[in-house]
């Protein structure tokens, strides 16, 4: 008999096992059920276009990947995260994410916070440490998503290629769009390493200035979409007809999905950005220091700077100098100590005993919080200088005198910096804060400010100054790359006590610290967060609408990331961005002008457009250009001219035909896209509600002997005994089922789900129970493995269940089995649950009737009856055949898609050869005609030589034409044979249980 617990009837073991299989079955990409496991284990504010994109990634089992190309701000990371989470739930855990260096931490944090997925950021130091006899490939991970930078993936491409990845995600994939060029080393190395691995490319700019960029990105996914580079140029170099547009769109349709902001206006709403400039003039001593150091850094030979990282060190010193005198003061001292050591060693005729460059690197890393990313970004440009990295062993007398003079300069800089007690910019910060907080009060916005600086030393200076003001004292939180200051440690310790035993705590100490600091900033009394560049990644601060760029980076994408912490989905107020501008610095003013007018970072609804940010890729090139101007230009006229040249280059208009091409190619592939999104939204909500209900009912039954379920709240329980004591990751304590992912509607304000989730997370000590929690996973696996005996169940009919009303008073048999269809050498699987039944009168039951009956309250008795009738097996056979037929039709459409693709590919290649032959014939004819008109003998001879060279090339082409075409056709046939093998199904039916049933009215 079913148990009655706290007034709720708990399902039978048979329905529990049915739910266990339903909750874990693998589906194809036709409906939102495919993403059930991912969605039930996610903490995301869901929008239908994101579900649609994730399903698109699963659409074709024969595809090598997709390009998700939504416009900026629409959540491509969430889309990829859903795919990753679903793969993980299906136990396909070999996952690699390749991203720009500055996005690695953000991805790691997003995976942890939103999808509860563990990850490792793989870098050189860790790679070298792990590599050894016991670990031949550190990229091979069993329980961690691997995250690395593009540069690192290139240098370790052999190890990347050796892993049989289940999925590779490439963020900001437009970095690879020049892969068709042989000199694009990083792109080609990564493409070759990932050949035939399933991939997702994320980019808001799949096409920027040339269709060849689109060709390049598509070739990373699939080399058979277009013939080759030559044939692509032949067909699409100049698009002049609708037929060409349609051809291009049809080829891209199966592997590229792009959603526009205009498509999702009813789901995604953003507030405005409003920019303010806080101008200031440095004090005379600050200006003197700036000018002295600027001239110093312009020298051709600097002995204090590490030779192998000269450009990097110069850049960071300039950024520290612009930040504050406090930021750079210590660096002068370290550089001077290096020169002093050289002088002392020279005097004693000894080698320098200490690695002084390492000390300089340590100082810069301590002062400039984004040092590691800056080093990675500049690494490629300084490879050629690697041999110069060692400290010179001997110096001439002239060099020694130069070193003494340079040391005297550095000592003077150190002394001057020490005489400066207050920075003009710091004084103006107080004014900007007061004005901003007054504006926030008027708009009823939270009185909170996020201050960004590039230096931890400047961060400490700002904190000390603000602590002196009564309105801010002890209402400040710091955020940087280590978060090891005394204040942060105290906040973290308090947070740990408050959240002990809570699902909020992860295995990552650094992630927990970040969460603690964000929670502290969100508290009502906390007014200010002072953050370094570490705060621009991976944290969501929608509750703050006031940003101050105390230091303004030269990299536009870094600025966009900063503002994006607050100006993001869920922000309910206009975001005010204050930028500090040095009135005496002509170059700074020009940089700001470009960032504001060209990149449009500070105003509007979405900030910088994806086209602009895509054009500059990671923004590093722009940063380097600005650095070169600072380094080489002295006079105001020179500075103005250099920035005008830079702005001219940035302002080269994209050709009109390219704009049209982009619009035509990526115009909604489905003209009914909005209606389609509505349907996806409805289906997703319906599916999630159903699966959420099933998960809870299953858990309530499976844990009846191990947990206490409080009256009045069916989504909470207290686990007092671990059902699986051998699993240490199942803690005893309070659990709560996490809220379902929700979407925002016009009636539901943006961010309401996040608010609800935050409220849930701050309640005392609930473990966040979800489909992917170790407890849920263990329960589901356990119940799927159980063998249930045949039994007689008497179901009690009540309520309104029209599907089975006609069966009241009858008896019969019911059988449930799992059908697994594997294909593509077991890489893909579809699972179906076969439910069939028959009445004693011989009437067949539909699957829906069987499910509705199983959901009823029932009593269970021993079975006193003969074996089930053979008709039951016959009905299962028939249902299996129907599913196989349906699946076969589904696979056939993708086979036809692949067939069309390879036919086009072969046609492209053959036409390319034929066109080249015809072109040579025409060219030879034209040269002959021109040669007849020539008068000078030398010109006639040269023309004849040209004709002979081209005739030989033509002869070779014609001679090999048949052979080449035969090779192309053979490759086509091999491709099709491979596709036929991949779609060959291997069915496996597993009986689950058979019951005798009776349905009675109550």
């Amino acid at each position: 008999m079913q148990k009655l617990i706290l007034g709720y009837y708990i399902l039978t073991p048979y329905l529990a096992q049915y739910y266990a299989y339903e909750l874990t079955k693998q589906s194809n990409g036709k409906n939102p059920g495919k993403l059930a496991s991912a969605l039930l284990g996610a903490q995301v504010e869901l929008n239908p276009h994101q579900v649609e994109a994730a399903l698109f990634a699963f659409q074709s089992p024969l595809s090598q990947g997709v390009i998700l190309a939504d416009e900026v701000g629409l959540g491509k990371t969430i889309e990829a995260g859903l795919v990753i989470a679903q793969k993980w739930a299906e136990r396909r855990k070999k996952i690699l994410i390749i991203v720009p260096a500055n996005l690695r931490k953000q991805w790691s944090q997003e995976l942890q916070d939103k999808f509860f997925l563990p990850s490792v950021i793989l870098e050189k130091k860790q790679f070298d440490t792990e590599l050894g006899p016991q670990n031949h490939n550190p990229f091979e991970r069993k329980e961690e998503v691997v995250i690395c930078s593009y540069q690192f993936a290139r240098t370790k491409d052999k190890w990347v290629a050796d892993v049989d990845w289940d999925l590779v995600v490439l963020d900001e994939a437009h970095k690879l769009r020049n892969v068709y060029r042989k000199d694009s080393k990083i792109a080609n190395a990564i493409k070759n390493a990932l050949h035939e691995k399933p991939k997702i490319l994320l980019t808001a700019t799949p096409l920027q200035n040339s269709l060849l960029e689109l060709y390049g990105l598509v070739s990373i996914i699939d080399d058979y979409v277009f013939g080759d580079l030559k044939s692509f140029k032949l067909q699409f170099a100049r698009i002049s007809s609708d037929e060409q547009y349609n051809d291009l769109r049809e080829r891209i349709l199966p592997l590229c999905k792009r959603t526009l902001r205009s498509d999702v206006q009813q789901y995604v709403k953003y507030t405005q950005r409003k920019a303010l400039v806080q101008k200031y003039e440095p004090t005379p001593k600050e200006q003197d220091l700036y000018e002295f150091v600027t001239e110093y850094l312009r020298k051709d030979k600097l002995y204090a700077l590490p030779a192998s990282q000269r450009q990097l060190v110069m850049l960071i010193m300039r950024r520290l100098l612009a930040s504050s005198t406090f930021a750079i003061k210590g660096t002068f001292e370290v550089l001077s100590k290096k020169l002093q050591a050289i002088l002392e060693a020279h005097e004693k005729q000894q080698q320098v005993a200490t690695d002084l460059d390492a000390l300089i690197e340590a100082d810069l890393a301590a002062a400039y919080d984004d040092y590691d990313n800056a080093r990675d970004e500049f690494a490629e440009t300084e490879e050629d200088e690697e041999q110069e990295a060692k400290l010179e062993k001997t110096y001439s007398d002239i060099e020694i005198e130069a070193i003494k003079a340079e040391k005297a300069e550095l000592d003077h800089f150190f002394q001057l910096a020490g005489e400066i007690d207050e920075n003009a910019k710091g004084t103006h910060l107080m004014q900007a804060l007061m004005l901003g907080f007054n504006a926030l009060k008027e708009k009823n916005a939270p009185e909170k400010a996020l201050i960004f600086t590039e230096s931890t030393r400047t961060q400490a200076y700002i904190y000390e100054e603000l602590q002196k003001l009564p309105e801010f004292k002890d209402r400040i939180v710091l955020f940087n790359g280590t978060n090891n200051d005394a204040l942060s440690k105290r906040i973290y310790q308090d947070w740990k006590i408050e959240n002990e035993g809570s699902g909020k705590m992860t295995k990552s100490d650094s992630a927990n610290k970040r969460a603690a600091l964000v929670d502290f900033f969100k508290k009502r009394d906390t007014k200010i967060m002072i953050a370094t560049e570490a705060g621009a990644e991976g944290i969501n601060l929608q509750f703050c609408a006031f940003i101050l760029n105390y230091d303004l980076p030269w990299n536009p994408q870094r600025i966009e990331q900063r503002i994006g912490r607050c100006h993001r989905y869920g922000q309910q107020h206009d975001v005010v961005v204050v930028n500090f501008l040095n009135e005496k610095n002509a170059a700074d003013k020009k940089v700001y002008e470009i960032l504001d007018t060209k990149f449009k970072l500070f105003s509007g609804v979405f900030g910088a457009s994806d086209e602009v940010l895509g054009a500059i890729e990671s923004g590093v090139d722009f940063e380097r250009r600005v650095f070169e101007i600072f380094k080489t230009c002295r006079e105001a006229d020179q500075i103005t001219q250099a920035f005008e040249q830079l702005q001219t280059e940035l302002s080269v208009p994209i050709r009109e035909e390219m704009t049209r091409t982009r619009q035509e190619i990526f115009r909604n592939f489905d003209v009914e896209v909005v209606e389609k999104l509505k349907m996806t939204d409805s289906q997703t909500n319906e599916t999630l509600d159903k699966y959420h209900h099933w998960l809870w009912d299953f858990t309530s039954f499976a844990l009846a002997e191990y947990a206490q379920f409080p009256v009045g709240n069916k989504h909470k329980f207290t686990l007092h005994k671990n059902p699986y004591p051998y699993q240490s990751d199942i803690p005893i304590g309070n659990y709560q089922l996490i809220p379902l992912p929700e979407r925002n509607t016009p009636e539901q304000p943006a961010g309401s789900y996040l608010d609800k989730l935050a409220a849930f997370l701050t309640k005392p000590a609930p473990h966040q129970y979800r489909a992917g929690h170790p407890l849920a996973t263990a329960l589901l696996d356990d119940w799927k493995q159980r063998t249930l005996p045949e039994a007689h169940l008497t179901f009690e009919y009540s309520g309104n269940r029209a599907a089975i009303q006609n069966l009241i008073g009858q008896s019969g048999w019911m059988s449930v089995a799992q059908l697994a269809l594997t294909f593509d050498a077991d890489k893909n699987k579809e699972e179906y649950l076969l439910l069939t039944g028959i009445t004693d009168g011989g009437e067949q039951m539909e699957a829906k009737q069987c499910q509705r009956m199983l959901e009823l309250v029932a009593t269970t008795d021993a079975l006193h009856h003969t074996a089930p009738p053979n008709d039951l097996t016959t009905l299962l056979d028939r249902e299996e055949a129907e599913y196989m037929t349906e699946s076969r039709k589904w696979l056939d459409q993708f086979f036809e898609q692949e067939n069309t693709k390879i036919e086009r590919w072969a046609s492209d290649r053959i036409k390319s050869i034929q066109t080249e032959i015809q072109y040579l014939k025409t060219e030879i004819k034209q040269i002959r005609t021109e040669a007849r008109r020539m008068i000078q003998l030398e010109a006639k001879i040269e023309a004849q030589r040209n004709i002979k060279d081209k005739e030989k090339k033509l002869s070779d082409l014609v001679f090999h034409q048949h052979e080449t075409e035969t090779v192309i056709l053979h490759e086509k046939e091999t491709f099709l044979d491979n596709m036929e093998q991949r779609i060959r199904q291997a069915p496996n039916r597993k009986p689950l249980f058979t019951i005798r049933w009776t349905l009675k009215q109550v």
Side-chain angles (χ1 to χ4, degrees):
M1 174 180 286
Q2 281 185 314
K3 298 176 181 177
L4 185 67
I5 299 180
L6 301 176
Y8 291 97
Y9 279 102
I10 307 301
L11 54 160
T12 64
Y14 302 91
L15 183 56
Q17 187 171 82
Y18 170 75
Y19 281 169
Y21 276 93
E22 277 283 10
L23 287 165
T24 56
K25 73 177 181 183
Q26 295 186 31
S27 304
N28 58 43
K30 287 186 291 186
N31 59 67
K34 170 65 179 177
L35 299 174
S37 295
L39 293 172
L40 283 178
Q43 290 183 163
V44 293
E45 200 161 7
L46 206 58
N47 285 292
H49 72 275
Q50 294 166 336
V51 176
E52 188 75 22
L55 290 173
F56 178 81
F58 285 110
Q59 180 175 261
S60 171
L62 304 181
S63 170
Q64 290 296 314
V66 296
I67 302 172
L68 301 183
D70 290 357
E71 280 191 294
V72 70
L74 294 183
K76 291 183 290 296
T77 305
I78 296 296
E79 296 166 0
L82 288 172
V83 179
I84 293 169
Q86 187 59 37
K87 291 272 189 181
W88 194 270
E90 294 172 1
R91 309 294 201 272
R92 291 185 281 180
K93 298 183 177 181
K94 291 184 179 180
I95 297 170
L96 172 66
I97 303 175
I98 305 177
V99 301
N102 61 306
L103 296 182
R104 292 171 299 179
K105 290 180 183 177
Q106 181 175 333
W107 264 94
S108 178
Q109 197 68 33
E110 293 272 306
L111 289 178
Q112 176 62 50
D113 292 347
K114 290 183 169 62
F115 301 99
F116 301 95
L117 294 178
S119 64
V120 59
I121 297 175
L122 203 55
E123 300 171 295
K124 184 179 186 303
K125 184 177 180 180
Q126 182 175 3
F127 183 92
D128 293 343
T129 301
E130 294 183 4
L131 188 64
Q134 304 302 318
N135 185 1
H136 298 291
N137 192 344
F139 278 94
E140 285 271 10
R141 303 271 168 167
K142 292 183 179 179
E143 293 295 331
E144 288 176 314
V145 176
V146 180
I147 302 172
C148 73
S149 69
Y150 279 99
Q151 181 69 21
F152 188 76
R154 174 210 173 180
T155 59
K156 306 299 180 188
D157 57 339
K158 293 179 181 178
W159 284 272
V160 171
D162 283 344
V163 180
D164 187 19
W165 298 107
D166 294 310
L167 179 67
V168 180
V169 175
L170 299 107
D171 196 10
E172 305 291 347
H174 49 262
K175 290 176 67 70
L176 306 178
R177 61 188 172 201
N178 292 328
V179 68
Y180 62 89
R181 287 169 24 190
K182 292 181 180 179
D183 62 347
S184 187
K185 295 180 181 178
I186 292 181
N188 276 286
I190 290 175
K191 176 184 176 180
N192 294 334
L194 300 179
H195 181 60
E196 294 188 349
K197 319 285 188 189
K199 295 172 280 289
I200 294 179
L201 275 58
L202 305 177
T203 175
T205 53
L207 173 59
Q208 186 62 33
N209 295 311
S210 166
L211 275 170
L212 293 179
E213 298 165 354
L214 182 62
Y215 168 83
L217 287 181
V218 169
S219 72
I220 293 171
I221 299 289
D222 194 335
D223 274 319
Y224 290 106
V225 174
F226 303 109
D228 56 15
L229 183 58
K230 189 185 297 181
S231 63
F232 182 86
K233 289 179 178 178
L234 178 68
Q235 287 180 278
F236 302 112
R238 292 185 179 179
I239 299 183
S240 57
S241 68
D242 289 340
E243 184 179 354
Q244 286 176 295
Y245 279 123
N246 291 335
D247 183 12
L248 193 53
R249 290 183 68 201
E250 286 176 13
R251 292 181 189 229
I252 296 171
L253 178 63
L255 55 80
C256 185
K257 185 170 185 61
R258 180 169 172 83
T259 302
L260 307 178
R261 297 173 194 143
S262 57
D263 297 331
V264 295
Q265 288 184 57
Q266 70 181 97
Y267 301 108
V268 181
K269 297 187 182 300
Y270 285 85
T271 58
Q272 292 279 335
R273 293 182 183 183
K274 296 186 176 180
L276 296 174
V277 177
Q278 179 64 60
K279 298 179 181 180
Y280 70 95
E281 290 189 4
T283 64
K285 285 188 177 182
E286 287 180 271
Q287 188 63 24
D288 286 347
L289 182 64
Y290 178 86
E291 292 175 358
F292 289 152
V293 176
T294 296
E295 285 305 313
Y296 169 77
L297 293 175
R298 285 186 177 133
K299 292 183 179 181
D300 293 332
K301 181 70 174 178
L302 290 173
Y303 294 92
L305 271 56
S308 65
Q309 295 181 319
R310 178 185 170 95
Q311 299 299 313
L312 173 64
V313 173
M314 290 173 67
L315 170 72
I316 293 176
M317 286 184 68
R318 286 192 174 277
R319 301 308 299 147
L320 293 176
L321 181 64
S323 179
S324 71
T325 57
F326 311 100
I328 197 170
K329 177 185 172 184
T331 303
F332 297 143
E333 185 176 24
V334 174
L335 293 175
S336 177
K337 285 182 178 178
K338 172 183 175 178
L339 297 184
Q340 180 63 33
I342 292 173
L343 292 172
E344 290 175 357
H346 175 78
E347 187 176 337
K348 297 176 182 178
Q349 296 185 342
Q350 296 176 347
Q351 294 184 5
V352 179
T354 307
D355 185 357
L356 300 174
D357 286 348
L359 298 178
I360 294 171
E361 183 177 8
D363 173 78
L364 294 174
Y368 189 75
D369 205 35
D370 204 39
Y371 177 81
D372 288 341
N373 286 333
R375 181 189 57 198
D376 289 345
E377 289 168 347
F378 272 74
E380 190 175 3
T381 63
E382 298 189 336
E383 284 179 352
D384 296 337
E385 299 181 35
E386 190 172 346
Q387 299 304 318
E388 302 175 28
K390 295 181 180 178
L391 202 63
E392 295 182 49
K393 300 294 189 296
T394 60
Y395 297 90
S396 67
D397 290 341
I398 294 176
E399 288 175 317
I400 288 297
E401 290 304 313
I403 291 173
K404 289 179 180 178
E406 183 178 336
K407 180 181 181 304
E409 278 190 281
L410 290 168
D411 290 341
H412 174 61
F413 299 160
F414 178 75
Q415 180 183 354
L416 182 56
E419 294 172 359
I420 301 171
D421 297 325
E422 187 176 0
N423 283 185
K425 186 161 56 166
T427 303
H428 285 76
L429 171 63
M430 312 309 164
Q431 299 173 13
L433 281 170
M434 295 306 179
L435 290 172
F437 277 116
N438 288 335
L440 292 173
K441 286 180 182 177
E442 292 175 5
K443 296 182 179 181
N444 292 320
E447 294 180 40
K448 295 182 182 295
L450 174 61
I451 303 172
F452 275 109
T453 175
E454 293 185 303
S455 168
T456 48
R457 291 170 182 165
T458 302
Q459 183 186 44
Y461 158 68
I462 295 172
Y463 175 75
E464 290 171 6
E465 292 300 306
L466 293 180
Q467 274 287 93
K468 297 175 183 177
L469 302 177
E471 56 267 59
F472 300 135
K473 182 175 174 57
D474 297 331
R475 304 173 83 177
I476 307 168
V477 60
L478 304 180
F479 196 106
N480 54 50
T482 61
N483 296 318
N484 283 331
D485 58 277
L487 173 63
S488 297
K489 287 180 178 179
R490 188 175 72 248
I491 291 171
Y492 182 41
Q493 290 304 319
D494 292 344
W495 183 87
K496 283 200 297 184
I497 294 171
E498 183 180 342
N499 292 278
E500 187 64 39
S502 166
K504 284 194 72 171
M505 298 187 69
T506 70
K507 295 179 181 179
S508 168
D509 198 48
S510 63
N512 290 338
K513 280 185 180 180
R514 292 163 68 93
L517 297 175
V518 170
D519 282 356
F520 188 84
F521 184 35
K522 194 171 184 179
K523 288 181 178 179
R524 182 182 182 88
D525 290 341
T526 310
K527 295 286 188 182
I528 295 172
M529 172 180 277
I530 310 171
T532 62
E533 217 62 48
E537 300 175 352
I539 58 174
N540 300 327
L541 306 174
Q542 294 97 326
F543 54 85
C544 174
F546 184 22
I547 300 170
L548 299 98
N549 286 311
Y550 190 83
D551 305 328
L552 194 61
W554 293 338
N555 185 331
Q557 288 198 336
R558 291 195 185 281
I559 299 170
E560 184 64 34
Q561 285 178 335
R562 285 181 173 190
I563 301 173
R565 295 308 96 212
C566 300
H567 189 243
R568 60 192 300 110
Y569 191 54
Q571 176 60 256
Q572 299 182 37
H573 302 276
D574 290 342
V575 174
V576 176
V577 182
V578 175
N579 300 301
F580 286 77
L581 189 59
N582 184 344
E583 279 284 86
K584 285 190 175 182
N585 192 312
D588 274 355
K589 290 162 75 173
K590 284 294 182 182
V591 171
Y592 180 78
E593 181 182 328
I594 291 178
L595 295 173
D596 186 34
T597 60
K598 174 61 185 174
F599 294 113
K600 302 185 185 304
L601 288 164
F602 307 117
S603 301
V605 176
F606 285 98
S609 73
D610 42 344
E611 286 187 9
V612 170
L613 291 182
I616 60 169
E617 296 187 346
S618 67
V620 177
D621 290 338
F622 177 78
E623 188 174 14
R624 287 175 180 148
R625 289 293 303 277
V626 173
F627 172 56
E628 285 300 316
I629 293 173
F630 271 82
K631 188 170 68 171
T632 58
C633 298
R634 285 179 168 82
E635 304 299 328
D637 290 345
Q638 289 179 303
I639 293 171
T640 300
Q641 186 177 354
F643 275 106
E644 284 178 354
Q645 174 63 29
L646 177 56
Q647 187 146 5
T648 299
E649 293 175 17
L650 291 170
S651 300
V652 174
I654 298 171
R655 293 172 300 166
E656 185 177 337
E657 62 266 28
M658 187 52 61
T659 301
R660 187 203 164 189
T661 298
R662 186 188 303 105
Q663 291 171 346
E664 288 292 331
I665 294 173
F666 297 112
R667 187 184 59 212
N668 299 328
F669 287 127
D670 184 349
V671 294
E672 298 177 345
V673 63
V674 176
E675 290 303 315
K676 189 174 182 181
L677 288 177
K678 286 182 180 178
M679 185 179 299
T680 300
D681 189 35
S682 173
Q683 291 176 337
T684 302
N685 288 333
E686 182 181 340
T687 301
L688 280 179
D689 286 342
K690 178 173 65 178
Y691 278 61
H692 200 250
H693 173 75
W694 287 353
L695 176 62
W696 180 252
D697 282 357
F698 167 79
T699 302
S700 302
F701 174 79
L703 289 178
E705 298 177 7
Y706 302 93
Q708 180 180 359
F709 295 81
V711 179
N713 193 327
K714 65 177 183 178
H715 287 165
K716 285 184 176 181
F717 63 89
T718 300
L719 187 70
H720 51 73
K721 182 180 179 183
N722 184 354
Y724 311 102
Y726 52 85
Q727 282 195 227
S728 59
D729 54 354
I730 301 178
I732 303 300
N734 296 327
Y735 284 75
Q736 181 168 341
L737 188 64
I738 65 172
L740 276 176
E742 294 182 5
R743 66 167 177 80
N744 288 323
T745 65
E747 296 77 30
Q748 180 177 326
S752 59
Y753 170 70
L754 296 178
D755 291 340
K756 181 193 299 184
L757 185 62
F760 156 68
L761 293 176
T762 54
K763 291 178 182 177
H767 293 292
Q768 300 167 43
Y769 189 69
R770 60 193 188 279
H773 191 282
L775 175 58
T777 301
L779 289 171
L780 291 165
D781 288 345
D782 179 9
W783 275 89
K784 285 172 65 176
Q785 294 168 7
R786 296 194 180 193
T787 301
L788 301 181
E790 289 185 0
H792 180 203
L793 271 68
T794 302
F795 294 100
E796 300 178 1
Y797 182 89
S798 62
N800 183 18
R801 294 176 182 262
I804 56 175
Q805 193 168 7
N806 64 318
L807 299 176
I808 296 173
Q810 298 190 52
S811 296
W813 289 87
M814 184 190 302
S815 190
V816 179
Q818 182 199 48
L819 173 64
L821 300 177
T822 58
F823 50 92
D824 195 10
D826 292 339
K827 290 182 180 179
N828 283 290
K829 180 190 290 187
E830 290 181 79
E831 294 174 331
Y832 301 92
L833 289 180
L834 311 180
L835 287 84
T836 191
I838 190 170
T839 66
D840 288 344
E843 181 183 354
Q844 180 182 347
M845 297 170 62
E846 297 178 357
K848 186 176 181 180
Q849 289 180 303
C850 295
Q851 182 182 328
R852 290 289 180 266
M853 189 175 291
L854 282 173
E855 291 172 346
L856 295 175
V857 174
T859 55
T860 305
D861 302 307
L863 184 64
H864 302 292
H865 200 280
T866 57
N870 293 331
D871 288 349
L872 205 57
T873 303
T874 302
L875 292 175
L876 282 173
D877 292 340
R878 186 184 305 168
E879 193 173 355
E880 176 181 326
E882 289 175 357
Y883 276 119
M884 288 190 65
T885 300
E886 181 183 342
S887 178
R888 184 67 198 185
K889 287 180 181 178
W890 178 72
L891 284 172
D892 282 347
Q893 67 174 317
F894 297 113
F895 177 78
E896 286 304 314
Q897 188 174 288
E898 294 296 308
N899 184 45
T900 300
K901 179 183 74 179
I902 199 65
E903 289 286 352
R904 283 174 171 158
W905 173 84
S907 177
D908 288 349
R909 296 288 305 276
I910 291 171
K911 281 181 182 177
S912 178
I913 298 169
Q914 295 170 345
T915 301
E916 189 173 4
I917 290 172
Q918 187 58 46
Y919 177 78
L920 277 171
K921 288 179 179 178
T922 302
E923 196 174 15
I924 292 168
K925 183 178 180 180
Q926 183 179 350
I927 296 173
R928 279 180 176 154
T929 301
E930 292 174 354
R932 293 191 193 103
R933 299 172 186 161
M934 293 177 181
I935 299 175
Q936 293 184 351
L937 179 61
E938 292 83 355
K940 284 180 174 289
I941 293 173
E942 183 63 31
Q944 289 303 317
R945 286 175 179 165
N946 195 7
I947 289 171
K948 285 184 179 180
D949 288 343
K950 292 191 180 297
E951 283 180 335
K952 184 178 184 307
K953 186 176 181 181
L954 175 63
S955 176
D956 289 343
L957 278 174
V958 172
F959 180 78
H960 293 290
Q961 180 181 4
H962 178 71
E963 179 184 349
T964 305
E965 290 180 359
T966 301
V967 170
I968 291 170
L969 293 174
H970 176 72
E971 187 170 350
K972 183 184 82 170
E973 293 305 316
T974 301
F975 178 89
L976 291 173
D977 289 344
N978 181 45
M979 286 301 108
E980 288 180 354
Q981 291 291 329
R982 290 181 63 187
I983 64 172
R984 189 165 293 172
Q985 295 172 319
N988 177 39
R989 192 167 86 195
K990 174 185 176 182
L992 301 187
F993 57 83
T994 298
I995 59 171
R996 171 79 177 161
W997 61 264
T998 297
L999 182 63
K1000 69 175 185 178
Q1001 178 82 54
V1002 293

